[in-house]
Amino acid sequence: MKNTSKQPDLTRGTILLAHGSRDPLWRKPIEAVAEQMRALAPAVHVRCAYLELSTPDLPASAAQLVTLGVTSITVVPVFFGVGKHAREDLPLLMSALRATHPAVTFNLRPAIGEEAQVIELIARIALA
């Protein structure tokens, strides 16, 4: 049901899921995307999560959003290609999230590097 009141719909959340790194500076681009998303859509709760070597992980970020009352979470894998993590690990993590939070709808987007807009943008930047 569409929210037709003047109040923003704060029940939606997005998790940007990246690989992770021991280098704390590695997180800056992912966090910059999250900040840009917050500026573009203040009513959507945005969190970052990491598969390994960084925190928070996907279950912790999802739990944060659920605590805020979020009932619909979209997970966006910020991976350029589809490797083992996206192909094997991520479906298992999504199943675990759905089992842990049965009242929440979880949507998994394709790896960001598979999106036509991203491919075109990278090509245009490379040609510039």
Side-chain angles (χ1 to χ4, degrees):
M1 185 157 94
K2 192 172 187 178
N3 181 5
T4 57
S5 71
K6 297 277 185 196
Q7 298 288 35
D9 178 8
L10 298 176
T11 62
R12 290 180 47 217
T14 299
I15 299 175
L16 298 174
L17 179 66
H19 186 273
S21 171
R22 287 182 185 88
D23 183 345
L25 295 178
W26 179 91
R27 300 164 61 117
K28 283 186 155 199
I30 306 305
E31 291 170 355
V33 172
E35 284 302 314
Q36 183 68 39
M37 290 175 66
R38 289 180 189 109
L40 292 170
V44 178
H45 295 284
V46 179
R47 296 291 184 273
C48 297
Y50 306 95
L51 282 173
E52 57 188 28
L53 307 172
S54 300
T55 57
D57 62 10
L58 183 58
S61 289
Q64 279 183 344
L65 292 175
V66 171
T67 299
L68 294 172
V70 170
T71 58
S72 176
I73 298 174
T74 299
V75 177
V76 180
V78 185
F79 302 130
F80 190 65
V82 179
K84 179 182 181 293
H85 286 309
R87 203 174 45 252
E88 296 176 15
D89 300 338
L90 192 48
L92 296 174
L93 286 167
M94 294 300 293
S95 292
L97 287 176
R98 290 180 179 111
T100 303
H101 306 285
V104 176
T105 301
F106 286 93
N107 302 299
L108 178 61
R109 296 285 310 261
I112 203 85
E114 294 185 332
E115 296 285 347
Q117 304 101 303
V118 173
I119 293 167
E120 180 181 345
L121 180 59
I122 292 170
R124 289 182 182 280
I125 291 169
L127 290 169

